[in-house]
Amino acid sequence: MTVQVAVLASGRGSNFKAIADAIGAGRCDAEIKVLITNNPDAPAIQIARDGGIPVEIVERKKFKARDDMDDAILAILQRHGAKLVVLAGYMLILKGKKLLGAYRNRIINIHPALLPAFPGATAQKDAFDYGVKVSGVTIHLVDETLDAGPILYQEAVDISDCRSAEETAAKILKVEHSAYAKVVDSFSKGHYTVEGRRATYVRD
Ligand code: GRF
């Protein structure tokens, strides 16, 4: 069954666009109900407008506490009927207990490295600088931890031929785009249960 998705993005929005394009091409059984961003200048906003997707801007400075901000996001998610929350370059950590509770096992994030290697915001550069020959993409559930929720999907990327951090990021990004649409699509046919660190896919 088509899954109703909310995308949270803070910047460029190429993963958001890749998912929207995959939906348009019939490769991903999902409907993007809303784009939520904390950044009023995010290029992702134009992508949403071009695709006729509603945009909600939720700025950090409008709220005293982070919990209040995440409560506002939760209200938007519910108003738009989101069943799955897709973080695509969302640069704030979701902290609201109500939000994390309401969407338990239904918030996903993409990370441009093979976690638990190279967590954090500079994963591709860190992998390149370290000299690893294989890095990749991780898609994981979002919980109270940082970049450490149960892993749903990983794909390795050979970066041995990359000559810079930028080349590394570009090669990984291509794989992010196909991988994220695949995982979003999986939510249209099933869900994930979690035991300890292990996420298991269950077909509905
Ligand atoms: C991606 O590399 C993603 O893995 C990371 O942030 C970047 C977002 O890129 N979490 P974009 O905004 O989707 O183009």
Side-chain angles (χ1 to χ4, degrees), residues 56-72:
E56 302 266 6
I57 297 171
V58 185
E59 282 183 90
R60 176 66 189 93
K61 65 181 183 203
K62 303 259 166 74
F63 300 88
K64 250 201 188 142
R66 275 300 300 278
D67 261 26
D68 298 338
M69 178 181 184
D70 286 355
D71 287 353

Side-chain angles (χ1 to χ4, degrees), residues 8-18 43-44 47 87-91 109-113 120-121 123-124 136-138 147 169 172-173 176-177 180:
L8 271 69
S10 301
R12 182 175 59 181
S14 74
N15 277 288
F16 166 45
K17 184 168 188 312
I47 298 170
L87 307 189
Y90 184 65
M91 297 312 285
N109 183 44
I110 188 158
H111 185 77
Q124 304 97 322
V137 172
T138 301
D147 283 348
I172 292 173
L173 188 64
E176 289 185 45
H177 292 164
Y180 221 3

